[in-house]
Amino acid sequence: MNCIADRLQICQSNELGYMIDIGPNWIHTWDSGEVHPILKLAAETKTPIHRWNNKQMIFDSFGNMLSEETTDRLSTLLWNYIEEAFRFSAEAHAQDNGASIPVEDSLYDFIQRKSVEELQDEQEREILLQMSEMWGAYVGEPVWKQSLRFAWMEECCGGEETFVASNYSAILDRISKAAIDSANLFLAKRVISVQTPKDRNPGGQVCIMTDDGSLWKFDEVVLTTPLGWLKKHLGCFSPPLSPRLSSAITNLKLSHLEKVFITFPAAFWMSDHTADSFPSYINWLCPKYANETNPHHWAQEIWNLASFSPPHNHPTILFYLYGDCSRFIVDTICNKTKEEKYQFLNEFFSPYYSRLPGFDPDNPNCTPKAILATEWLKDELNGFGSYCNFQSGIEEADQDVETIRKGCAERRLWFCGEHAAPFEECGTVAGAYLSGENIGKRIAKLYEPDIQ
């Protein structure tokens, strides 16, 4: 068994002085009662999982903290609207494949309509719509780009939302153990062409050429490359992929989610709080007070990583960026020195962390010790992006995913990954895992028809 591998999206860095995940952080569980494969692996590998409290801290566009009552009430209302949008989308899909929902309608449009119907106070309506922008951190693009017709495909958070408190390395080691133990791995080789037979005749093989001129032949080939790579390299397949499969890969959009980790000498914001009492999530809505560094008033949000149980409770806050904001940040810091990146990122994010409780500009504990920003948008092997999402304008997202999932069995060519996952798990680690498991079973059944 041979395997050619370029890279994995699950990825760690120790640039902050300890190991952190700069790829996936979350485990989005489900409430179906079935065993969740990644949660099961986390338990088996003793990977610590953090469960966030339900407390939030939200600042309005002038930098004033909303009252706890207003925050809780509007947040509950917003999530009610989002869940109602999921149901509305799912019902339309069941009735007419979503045709009754205009293709250009977005999740934001739905929330806006509901808020006009149910919220009389214009100021609260504006705040709720600003709060809805947090959806961008889930799908990697603004809420007004999220397709309402296919919102049902984004409902990956039906169960508990958990966060990997250490990192994914032990889980990845367990998943990859069989391949590492039994396969021949060829790393740091770039695939430049994939030539397949036109049909599944006995003895047919897939020929893969790598950038060093090597030619490899396989009975079956499973491409686990990111969606972004596929979109950039449709021309590497010979014969070309079918028009339907090519259009499916083209139709699915790629999110631009980035992360910025800021670690301090001490968690000054927790000085008068316990992990249970301090909000897990903090959001700055349309920050008009940050005109110098953020003239577009992109909303900002953090998760408090200091709330983890020891020894993983590092004094670190994690910003999630998406859309135009993530593109601006990455374009600005790309190819800069570590010192230049620190200076720019600190200037950009200081208007937000300086509003946390306990901040004192004269206290050394309030000066960032290190800042790490991801740059997936500049990563060629990742396809210059993050993961798939379903944006307004797409007409057949479910059929597109099914087409990629089906692959080209007749040409001995298969695709798996988060973009070929079960519908509600697209864009997640569990989705990628289940996708690979499904392809493995399908190939095994071809060779052993009686296998279950």
Side-chain angles (χ1 to χ4, degrees), residues 178-410:
I180 290 174
D181 289 348
S182 306
N184 297 318
L185 295 173
F186 301 95
L187 303 175
K189 292 184 180 294
R190 299 190 182 212
V191 173
I192 60 173
S193 73
V194 180
Q195 186 171 358
T196 71
K198 292 183 179 180
D199 47 46
R200 200 175 187 86
N201 289 325
Q205 288 188 308
V206 180
C207 297
I208 289 181
M209 180 175 286
T210 53
D211 57 352
D212 61 356
S214 299
L215 191 66
W216 311 79
K217 294 185 178 182
F218 301 94
D219 295 328
E220 310 287 340
V221 165
V222 181
L223 260 67
T224 65
T225 56
L227 173 65
W229 187 93
L230 281 177
K231 293 169 82 69
K232 297 284 185 181
H233 294 87
L234 284 173
C236 80
F237 298 97
S238 178
L241 299 180
S242 70
R244 182 64 188 94
L245 179 54
S246 294
S247 67
I249 293 170
T250 301
N251 292 342
L252 295 184
K253 300 303 182 185
L254 198 61
S255 68
H256 289 157
L257 185 76
E258 300 287 352
K259 303 168 188 178
V260 176
F261 298 84
I262 304 182
T263 193
F264 296 83
F268 63 85
W269 58 94
M270 298 279 287
S271 57
D272 296 325
H273 298 270
T274 64
D276 290 333
S277 67
F278 192 83
S280 294
Y281 171 78
I282 304 169
N283 193 325
W284 292 268
L285 306 174
C286 188
K288 297 177 181 178
Y289 49 86
N291 272 326
E292 279 191 35
T293 55
N294 185 3
H296 297 284
H297 306 147
W298 293 309
Q300 303 297 324
E301 66 172 64
I302 66 168
W303 291 86
N304 174 27
L305 307 191
S307 64
F308 296 167
S309 299
H312 306 292
N313 54 334
H314 301 284
T316 302
I317 54 178
L318 167 57
F319 284 84
Y320 280 98
L321 314 177
Y322 55 88
D324 288 340
C325 183
S326 64
R327 289 185 278 270
F328 168 72
I329 293 292
V330 174
D331 285 344
T332 303
I333 66 174
C334 182
N335 297 323
K336 295 292 195 298
T337 66
K338 187 175 181 179
E339 293 73 21
E340 289 171 331
K341 290 180 181 181
Y342 176 97
Q343 181 178 352
F344 169 78
L345 293 169
N346 191 39
E347 287 177 359
F348 187 90
F349 292 105
S350 61
Y352 316 109
Y353 71 68
S354 63
R355 280 174 164 74
L356 293 175
F359 179 82
D360 178 356
D362 297 323
N363 183 345
N365 287 333
C366 300
T367 299
K369 183 178 177 182
I371 304 178
L372 171 62
T374 61
E375 298 179 43
W376 294 111
L377 274 70
K378 301 297 182 181
D379 191 303
E380 179 186 0
L381 297 180
N382 206 46
F384 306 104
S386 304
Y387 47 83
C388 74
N389 61 14
F390 312 111
Q391 297 184 17
S392 299
I394 193 167
E395 298 183 358
E396 299 177 328
D398 54 340
Q399 295 177 42
D400 291 332
V401 172
E402 281 187 330
T403 299
I404 299 172
R405 192 189 301 158
K406 180 182 176 183
C408 308
E410 72 284 358

Side-chain angles (χ1 to χ4, degrees), residues 153-195:
M153 293 177 66
E154 296 285 8
E155 195 176 6
C156 64
C157 40
E160 190 176 27
E161 297 287 317
T162 61
F163 197 97
V164 178
S166 56
N167 56 71
Y168 259 101
S169 58
I171 296 174
L172 181 58
D173 288 345
R174 175 63 65 85
I175 293 172
S176 61
K177 187 177 187 307
I180 290 174
D181 289 348
S182 306
N184 297 318
L185 295 173
F186 301 95
L187 303 175
K189 292 184 180 294
R190 299 190 182 212
V191 173
I192 60 173
S193 73
V194 180
Q195 186 171 358

Side-chain angles (χ1 to χ4, degrees), residues 10 32 41 57 100 114 127 193 197 213 232 321 333 353 355:
I10 290 178
S32 65
L41 285 166
M57 183 183 294
S100 56
K114 295 298 296 184
I127 290 173
S193 73
K232 297 284 185 181
L321 314 177
I333 66 174
Y353 71 68
R355 280 174 164 74

